[in-house]
């Protein structure tokens, strides 16, 4: 899925924001994308290590501008 999206969305950076480490973040990272974990509960998980962790979507804009 990320390969298809990469073909349709030219340019960098490619960022995936998701709340599932196993599905969203690990999949994004496997495709070379930056994985930003939306962890509203703040609970850690050993399934994947996100590139970045946010607790609210409001935190995403400054991160996106920096990338």
């Amino acid at each position: 899925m990320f390969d298809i999206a990469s073909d349709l969305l030219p340019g960098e950076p490619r960022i995936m924001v998701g709340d599932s480490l196993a599905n969203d973040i690990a999949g994004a990272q496997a495709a070379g994308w930056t994985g930003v974990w939306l962890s509203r509960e703040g609970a850690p998980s050993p399934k994947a290590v996100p590139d970045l962790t946010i607790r609210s979507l409001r935190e995403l804009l400054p991160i996106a501008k920096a990338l």
Side-chain angles (χ1 to χ4, degrees), residues 41-65:
E41 303 297 321
S45 173
K47 294 180 181 177
V49 177
D51 297 300
L52 299 165
T53 300
I54 59 175
R55 290 181 156 244
S56 164
L57 289 175
R58 291 180 183 168
E59 297 176 51
L60 188 59
L61 185 58
I63 291 169
K65 286 181 180 179

Side-chain angles (χ1 to χ4, degrees), residues 14 16 21 25 28-29 32-37 48-53:
R14 293 189 171 97
M16 172 62 182
L21 283 171
I25 304 309
Q29 291 173 326
W33 292 37
T34 299
V36 180
W37 182 34
V49 177
D51 297 300
L52 299 165
T53 300

